[in-house]
Amino acid sequence: MIALPETAIEERFLAATGPGGQNVNKVATACQLRVDVYRLGLHPETFARLRTLAGSRLTAAGTLVVTARRYRTQEANRADARERVAALLAAAEERDARRVKTKPSRTAKAKRVDAKKGRAVVKAGRGRVEVE
């Protein structure tokens, strides 16, 4: 798990949409969390996976932008944004399982060739019939 240094994080609070009634028009409860990915010191493979996972949330300048507006309070939205960033980074750290190369056995190859020859005989029998 990657610890998020406070120097790499910038929080902004904006007016949110969604639950909150008239209060939503008066109070800036949505949390926009901006994380400078270059300050995290990620491994190049992890950074490449993060770029594909984040998609449009990662800017060209290397800033990951996550906006949380699910809850009515700033604190809940702040915690939600941090959890989502942590989950995204954890998913980027996971490596794909390596593929183990296999090759068919000699008997499997022989069976395949025999089956092909059998099909060729069947198909050859479907040709035009010559009348003598």
Side-chain angles (χ1 to χ4, degrees):
M1 187 70 172
I2 296 174
L4 293 174
E6 290 299 321
T7 56
I9 297 175
E10 180 187 337
E11 289 178 337
R12 294 181 187 167
F13 293 98
L14 1 136
T17 58
Q22 291 178 347
N23 191 51
V24 84
N25 301 323
K26 300 183 289 184
V27 183
T29 55
C31 178
Q32 187 181 65
L33 197 66
R34 294 175 160 267
V35 181
D36 187 1
V37 178
Y38 296 126
R39 288 192 181 181
L40 298 178
L42 298 176
H43 191 273
E45 291 177 8
T46 305
F47 179 74
R49 283 191 293 270
L50 177 65
R51 193 173 14 193
T52 54
L53 287 172
S56 63
R57 291 177 288 186
L58 189 65
T59 65
T63 305
L64 180 66
V65 181
V66 175
T67 305
R69 56 170 61 104
R70 195 179 311 176
Y71 301 104
R72 291 179 177 221
T73 63
Q74 276 188 0
E75 285 305 315
N77 283 326
R78 173 188 280 150
D80 183 37
R82 286 177 183 253
E83 286 172 14
R84 285 166 51 192
V85 167
L88 196 61
L89 290 172
E93 276 191 330
E94 289 180 11
R95 284 184 164 179
D96 295 334
R98 282 216 171 135
R99 182 183 177 275
V100 178
K101 292 183 180 178
T102 59
K103 63 180 189 177
S105 64
R106 185 178 292 168
T107 54
K109 287 180 183 177
K111 282 182 185 178
R112 186 180 134 270
V113 170
D114 290 342
K116 284 172 71 85
K117 285 181 181 175
R119 292 299 301 159
V121 169
V122 170
K123 288 186 175 187
R126 293 185 190 150
R128 287 192 177 181
V129 179
E130 293 182 14
V131 180
E132 295 180 16

